Amino acid sequence: MLDKEKQFHDSKTENVNDTTSKQDANIESQDKEDNIQTCIIENAHGGDGKSAHNSKSKNFIIVCVAIVIGVGAIFASSNPGNTKHTLMITSIVHNAKQTTVTGYLDGTKKKQTVKAADMKGYKKLGNTSTVFTPAAISDANKMFANKETGVYLFGFETCPFCQSAVPVLNKAAKRAGWIVNYVDIYNQRFDKKGKKVQSTESDYVQLKKNMKGYIKDDTLYSPTVMFVKNGKIVDYQVSFMGLHVDGTKLTEEQAESLQKVYEDAFAKLV
């Protein structure tokens, strides 16, 4: 059912043989029947270049930040009467280091302040504040077991579809006043060498059981946004569901349509 494209994530890694596991991570996409484009784990071998890419990106970011701060410091020292530029730099650093997020997290109807997830890998978020808090696969399972309410995003930063969907979900969640539990599904299931983390694999199996009837082919695709009320799924959105998107990028009109879909899903939690 799926046409092969370049992607990084296959949640069906457990069925990949030793020969396939030595190949680079590929992107497999578009469900022809529902026209849904997603990221799945083709394999999790460390040779996919992810580590090298992240290392280069981090070095580049560090150098850029150092240059910006250095220029700001020189400007401030030479213009003691003008603090406008210094304040701008401080604002950028502050937003990049967001530590908490406030909003509705469960069914208590009381806003809470919790730890903010590190979303710097999602470049399209820019410098805006986010609504995401870090969560584990086991946390989602506990929500089902305890019949709780919450919203979960399963994704990972090298998934191009996630890169496009996350900023839209961020806007919708802000408007609804909700916090979204972010599960980095790739890094929780695989270590830096691309090997399965056995301690979380049982949690992943249980999660798929809890989501039975919503996932296809025993596969959890990314990005998946799950809306749960009192332990039951009330809405379930996979990637650009129903938008007929050509590729990984959303047009302005498509982004608005997806935001409306998310907003309607949040409304079901009330």
Side-chain angles (χ1 to χ4, degrees):
M1 291 179 65
L2 298 174
D3 295 331
K4 291 190 176 179
E5 299 177 14
K6 274 194 164 187
Q7 283 191 11
F8 291 95
H9 196 150
D10 188 350
S11 298
K12 297 175 72 176
T13 308
E14 51 267 48
N15 296 323
V16 180
N17 58 33
D18 292 339
T19 300
T20 307
S21 65
K22 293 180 180 179
Q23 299 175 347
D24 289 344
N26 297 316
I27 294 178
E28 186 173 336
S29 275
Q30 195 161 10
D31 185 314
K32 289 183 178 179
E33 181 180 351
D34 295 327
N35 196 33
I36 300 172
Q37 295 177 310
T38 60
C39 292
I40 58 177
I41 302 178
E42 187 69 20
N43 73 66
H45 187 263
D48 61 5
K50 179 181 178 183
S51 297
H53 172 73
N54 287 346
S55 177
K56 291 179 180 179
S57 297
K58 289 178 180 177
N59 290 338
F60 177 76
I61 292 171
I62 291 173
V63 171
C64 288
V65 171
I67 292 174
V68 171
I69 292 176
V71 171
I74 294 172
F75 185 87
S77 62
S78 60
N79 297 273
N82 189 342
T83 60
K84 180 178 179 181
H85 295 276
T86 305
L87 291 174
M88 178 187 70
I89 293 172
T90 302
S91 176
I92 291 175
V93 174
H94 172 73
N95 289 342
K97 293 183 178 180
Q98 179 184 351
T99 58
T100 61
V101 57
T102 300
Y104 300 114
L105 185 62
D106 51 36
T108 61
K109 297 182 180 180
K110 293 182 179 180
K111 289 191 175 182
Q112 303 178 44
T113 298
V114 295
K115 178 181 178 182
D118 182 358
M119 305 298 286
K120 292 193 294 294
Y122 290 93
K123 305 304 181 184
K124 293 182 180 180
L125 281 170
N127 200 41
T128 186
S129 60
T130 64
V131 298
F132 304 96
T133 188
I137 298 173
S138 59
D139 293 327
N141 289 329
K142 290 177 183 177
M143 178 179 59
F144 284 108
N146 298 330
K147 300 185 184 304
E148 297 172 347
T149 298
V151 183
Y152 275 77
L153 163 65
F154 301 94
F156 58 106
E157 62 185 35
T158 51
C159 163
F161 304 103
C162 300
Q163 287 285 343
S164 293
V166 165
V168 181
L169 176 60
N170 192 55
K171 289 182 180 179
K174 278 184 177 181
R175 178 167 291 187
W178 276 84
I179 296 172
V180 177
N181 294 280
Y182 171 62
V183 179
D184 186 333
I185 196 69
Y186 184 97
N187 288 316
Q188 288 197 27
R189 292 193 61 211
F190 301 95
D191 62 22
K192 293 181 179 180
K193 294 182 179 180
K195 296 181 179 180
K196 285 185 181 179
V197 178
Q198 294 303 320
S199 60
T200 60
E201 196 60 18
S202 59
D203 291 329
Y204 177 66
V205 172
Q206 181 59 49
L207 177 64
K208 291 193 293 182
K209 290 181 180 179
N210 288 327
M211 298 166 72
K212 186 177 180 180
Y214 290 89
I215 61 176
K216 283 190 173 184
D217 306 320
D218 196 40
T219 301
L220 177 62
Y221 296 91
S222 292
T224 285
V225 188
M226 180 175 67
F227 301 79
V228 179
K229 183 175 182 179
N230 299 327
K232 294 183 179 181
I233 297 176
V234 294
D235 208 312
Y236 185 88
Q237 298 296 326
V238 181
S239 194
F240 312 142
M241 185 180 287
L243 294 183
H244 306 289
V245 178
D246 183 16
T248 64
K249 297 181 180 180
L250 296 170
T251 64
E252 184 176 344
E253 183 178 354
Q254 289 168 338
E256 290 176 354
S257 296
L258 182 59
Q259 182 175 333
K260 180 63 166 56
V261 169
Y262 287 146
E263 290 175 356
D264 289 344
F266 279 113
K268 295 178 182 180
L269 300 176
V270 179

